[in-house]
Amino acid sequence: MGKTIAFVNQKGGVGKTTSCVNLGACLQNAGAKVLVCDFDPQGNATSGFGVDKGAVFPTVYDVLIAGAPVANAIVRTPYAHVLPANKALAGATVEMIAMDRREYLLKEALAQVAGDYDFVLIDCPPSLELLTLNCLCAADTVLVPVQCEYYALEGLSDLLSTIRIVKSRLNPAIGLEGLLLTMYDGRTNLSLQVAEEVKRHFPGQVFATVIPRNVRLSEAPSHGKPVTAYDGSSRGAAAYKRLTEELLARNPLSGKEG
C-alpha cells in the first residue's frame, strides 16, 4: 500500500499546485508509481500535466458524486497518472452535504486504486472547507507549502489546528509530512528572515530543500509540462529533484531501501 500525501494551505499562490505537480513528476522519474489527484476546482494540476481540463471526462467530480469508477477517470500522462478535476468540482460541496460519510468520499474512492501506487499526491483547494476536509481524511500525511513572504505564518496556526481536529475526530492516523519553503529569494533579507522564523516555530518539521523563485517554474504550466520536462537544467527543476531525494529518504520505495 502506497502513501497518500495532501498538499494543503488555505492561502492561494503559495506554490501548492506547483509542488504537487513537480514532486509527482520527479517521484515517477525516480521509479515510483505516482497518482496525482487534482481536488481543486481550478484544475491547475490537471492542465499542468498537459490534460485538457475542459474536455476530460469522467473527472474526480464524477467519481465522488456519480459513482464513476476511479480507474475510468485516471489519465495516464508521460509524467504521472492524473485523476483530473475541473470547474464542475466547485459545486460538489453542496451536493456532498447530504451524502452519507461525506468527509470520507475521496478516501473511499482512492481506496479502489491506492494499492497500485507508491504515492498518491492530492492537490487541495485553497480553503478549509468540505473538499479540503475530504483531502485530510484521505491522507496519511500533509505537506504544507509556505511562501517566503511577510504573512507566511499567518493562517498556518489555523491550518495546523484544523489538522489536529481532523486527527482527533476523523482521521487518527494523519501526520505532518513537513513544511516546504517556497518562492525563496536568497537575495532578500525578507526570505532569509521568514525561513528562519518558520524553522524556529516548527523545529524539525521543515524540509531542508527550499524552492526558489524561478521563471522556468512559472512558465512550465503554460506548456502543460512539469519543470523537469520543460527545462530540466533550471534551478526550479534541481530543487524539486532534491526534494524528491529528501522525501524518498524518509519513505523508501519497496526494494529500493536507502
Side-chain angles (χ1 to χ4, degrees):
M1 182 65 73
K3 185 172 198 179
T4 301
I5 303 174
F7 289 65
V8 185
N9 194 321
Q10 74 270 35
K11 293 183 68 175
V14 298
K16 181 174 51 63
T17 300
T18 297
S19 295
C20 187
V21 167
N22 287 300
L23 185 58
C26 286
L27 283 167
Q28 176 162 297
N29 286 343
K33 295 175 182 175
V34 181
L35 174 64
V36 173
C37 173
D38 191 348
F39 213 59
D40 185 341
Q42 296 176 85
N44 291 337
T46 300
S47 57
F49 283 108
V51 178
D52 184 350
K53 63 187 177 186
V56 69
F57 178 86
T59 65
V60 70
Y61 169 84
D62 304 291
V63 171
L64 262 61
I65 304 301
V70 177
N72 292 357
I74 291 172
V75 180
R76 290 156 177 79
T77 79
Y79 319 112
H81 289 187
V82 182
L83 182 53
N86 56 29
K87 60 185 179 182
L89 188 61
T93 297
V94 175
E95 297 177 76
M96 290 161 68
I97 286 172
M99 297 174 75
D100 290 336
R101 291 176 57 79
R102 61 191 180 194
E103 299 92 348
Y104 299 102
L105 295 173
L106 181 62
K107 179 183 177 70
E108 290 166 359
L110 291 176
Q112 300 173 36
V113 296
D116 299 334
Y117 297 97
D118 298 305
F119 292 95
V120 177
L121 309 182
I122 308 174
D123 187 31
C124 303
S127 60
L128 292 179
E129 39 80 47
L130 189 52
L131 290 181
T132 300
L133 196 56
N134 264 261
C135 297
L136 294 175
C137 288
D140 298 309
T141 59
V142 173
L143 190 154
V144 183
V146 181
Q147 186 178 359
C148 292
E149 59 158 29
Y150 184 69
Y151 294 112
L153 291 174
E154 196 172 88
L156 255 187
S157 58
D158 291 341
L159 173 59
L160 295 175
S161 175
T162 299
I163 294 170
R164 282 193 294 272
I165 292 169
V166 169
K167 185 177 181 71
S168 66
R169 299 181 185 175
L170 297 168
N171 181 6
I174 196 169
L176 181 65
E177 190 69 40
L179 278 63
L180 175 66
L181 294 166
T182 63
M183 303 182 190
Y184 180 84
D185 186 346
R187 299 169 300 178
T188 68
N189 286 332
L190 180 59
S191 278
L192 293 166
Q193 289 166 2
V194 170
E196 289 307 312
E197 191 174 3
V198 172
K199 290 173 184 174
R200 184 164 51 83
H201 277 81
F202 304 99
Q205 297 177 307
V206 183
F207 283 100
T209 302
V210 174
I211 308 301
R213 284 196 176 276
N214 180 245
V215 173
R216 293 303 200 214
L217 276 178
S218 304
E219 293 173 345
S222 65
H223 295 267
K225 295 179 178 180
V227 70
T228 46
Y230 176 62
D231 184 354
S233 63
S234 65
R235 290 171 60 239
Y240 279 108
K241 289 172 187 173
R242 288 195 301 273
L243 179 63
T244 301
E245 292 169 1
E246 196 174 345
L247 187 74
L248 288 174
R250 303 180 183 185
N251 306 278
L253 299 176
S254 57
K256 298 183 181 181
E257 300 290 328

